[in-house]
Amino acid sequence: MQKPSRLLFKYLMICLCLWSCNSKDKTNKDHLVFRYNEHKNIGSLDPAFSKDIADIWATHQLFNGLVQMDDQLNVQSCIAKNWVVTDSATTYTFTLRNDVFFHKHELFGTDSTRTVIASDFEYSLNRLKNKSIASPGSWVLNKVESYSALNDSTFQIKLKQPFPAFLGLLTMKYCSVVPEEIVEHYGSEFRSNPIGTGPFKFKRWEENIKLVFRRNNSYFEKDKDGNSLPHLEAVAITFLPDKQSEFLQFAQGNIDFVSGLDASYKDEILTSDGALRSLYSEDVNMIRGPYLNTEYLAFFMETEVAELQALKLRKAINLGFDRAKMMTYLRNGIGIPASGGFIPKGLPGFDETIGFSYQPEKAKALVAEFKSETGITNPEITLTTTSNYLSFCEFIQRELQKIGLLVNVDVIPASSLKDAKANGQLDFFRASWVADYPDAENYLSLYFSKNFAPNGPNYTHYSSEEFDRLYEASYLETNPELRAELYTKMDSLIMTSAPIVPLFYDEVVRFTRKEVEGLGINTTNLLELKQVRKVESNEL
C-alpha cells in the first residue's frame, strides 16, 4: 500500500499536468525568458567567489575569461582570440579580441562602457591573490610565476613549471575579467552589482526570492549561423528551497528546467531503469550524460584498525557488493557503476578494466583468509557517512554481511564529516570528488604523498614512491595521449593498494520543457544558456 504522502503527490502531479495542458498559451515575454530554480540563495555574483555550482551557474551568464570549455572538454577561444605556448610549456601569451565590451554602467563615462584590455586581466587575477579579498579561487594561481599586460591586446602568463592542465584551469569562473573602476567603486558590494562581459547582464536581485538577468545586446559571440547571441531575452531564477516544490513548479510549466534526480520525485518521472515515464513524454525532454564526479568510500591508510590495515579485507569490500544492482535500486539507473578506478568516465585516463567487479565468492574467501591469518573471527568495521548517502551505505552494509564482514554505519552532519576526514579522524568514510577543472590530474592529486590532508586533498594518506614519480612525470608530458597513459598507470596503482572503494561515476540528468531548444549537457554540469531558444507551443 502506498503511503498517504505518496498518493497525495501523485494526485497533485496529475492535477498539475492537466492544468499545464490547458494553459500553454504563452505571452511573447514568457516565450523569451528562461526560468530555473536554485535550492539555496546564491552567495555572490562576484566571480572571485564562484565556488558553489549555484554561484557558478549565475556568474557564467554574466562573465567571460580568456578561454572557455566546449561540451567535449576542448579549450576554445573566448576573450583571447588565440594564444601561443613557449619556453618548454611555461609561457602562455594571449592575444585579445578588440570587440569585447563591459556591460553598460554610468561610471564608464560618456559611452557607458569600454572595451576589455589586457590590464583588466592583470587586475582581475590580482584580486584572486589579494588576501584581504580572500577569494576561494586563489589556489588557481599556485603554479603561476608571474603575469602581465604586454600591451592593450596582449596578456602573458608565466608558470613555475609545466602544467598541461593550465588552460583548463583558466576556464574556471574565478579567472573571469572584471572592470577595476566598477569593482573599486562598489567594494564588497560588487557581489550584488556585477558588471561583466557575458551574454546576459544583471538586472535585479531580491535575495532568497528572485534574480533576473537581461540580454546583453552588445555581446561579442555569434552562433554557427552568424546570428548574435544570446537568443533569450532574459533569465529568471527563483529560490524555492524544497526540491519537491521545484518539481511541481516544473510540471506546472512555471519553470523550464530541473537538474538532478531527487528522491522526492525520481520514481514519479523515471522508471526503475532510468527511462522517462509516459506521463511526461509529451511535455518533457530528458538529457543525461557523464558528470565529472566520483562517489566512493575511503580508507584512512594510517589507521590502527586491524581490519582496515589488511589489503585482503579492503579488496573483499570492493568485491563484495553489486554496484549495478545498487544503481538500479537507489538511483533508477542514473549513474555509471564504478568498475574502473578513481578517474571518472569522460576524462582521458579512464579505464573501466582496472577496478573491481562483483565477485561474492572471492570476497568470502578473502575474508576467510583474513580470519585465519589474524585470529579475528568476527571482523567489524565502522563506515561514517551523512544522511544523504545513508541508503547507499546501508545497501553495502547488508551485502558485506553476506561475506562475513560486520559493518556499523555512523551518520554525522556533513560539516563534521568534512572536518574529521581532513584531520585523519575517520577510518572508513563516504566521500565524493567533483572536478575543479576537467583534467584527470585533479583526481590523482588526491593520492600524491605531498598532498596529505589537512594541507592538501589526500584524505586517505595513500603513499607510493612509484605513484609520485609518475605524477611528477605527467607535468612534463605535453603529448595528451602519453599523458593519459600515465594517468591510467597511476589510477591502476591506486586500485592495486585499494585505499578506496569506487561506488559510481555520476551522471548529469536534466529535464526541460519541450519549448526549450539548444540546452546541451557537459561533464562539468555547467549551465550554458547563450545558445538556448524557447519556441512557442504553436511552433512545436
Side-chain angles (χ1 to χ4, degrees), residues 126-257:
N126 281 340
R127 293 185 73 227
L128 298 185
K129 294 198 306 181
N130 190 331
K131 292 183 179 180
S132 65
I133 292 176
S135 166
S138 59
W139 63 270
V140 170
L141 301 177
N142 284 349
K143 293 181 173 64
V144 173
E145 179 70 41
S146 63
Y147 49 84
S148 61
L150 303 186
N151 52 53
D152 282 355
S153 61
T154 310
F155 185 67
Q156 189 173 84
I157 302 176
K158 294 188 176 184
L159 304 185
K160 299 173 184 175
Q161 65 182 88
F163 183 47
F166 183 64
L167 282 174
L169 208 62
L170 288 180
T171 67
M172 299 181 71
K173 297 321 295 180
Y174 293 133
C175 301
S176 300
V177 69
V178 296
E180 179 176 5
E181 55 266 65
I182 308 298
V183 175
E184 295 301 317
H185 172 77
Y186 283 111
S188 61
E189 291 307 305
F190 184 69
R191 66 175 289 279
S192 54
N193 295 275
I195 294 293
T197 60
F200 298 92
K201 58 186 179 181
F202 175 74
K203 178 65 176 178
R204 179 167 58 92
W205 187 14
E206 297 175 60
E207 295 200 39
N208 288 308
I209 299 174
K210 194 167 189 177
L211 174 61
V212 179
F213 303 147
R214 295 297 301 271
R215 185 180 194 274
N216 174 14
N217 292 318
S218 300
Y219 191 58
F220 60 95
E221 288 191 286
K222 300 183 184 300
D223 66 15
K224 60 182 177 60
D225 298 318
N227 299 311
S228 295
L229 295 174
H231 301 303
L232 297 164
E233 180 59 35
V235 177
I237 307 166
T238 53
F239 296 92
L240 291 172
D242 178 63
K243 292 188 178 184
Q244 183 169 312
S245 298
E246 174 190 69
F247 187 73
L248 291 173
Q249 289 292 308
F250 174 71
Q252 187 176 344
N254 291 332
I255 57 176
D256 299 302
F257 158 78

Side-chain angles (χ1 to χ4, degrees), residues 18 256 373 425:
L18 289 172
D256 299 302
E373 292 170 2
Q425 297 169 351

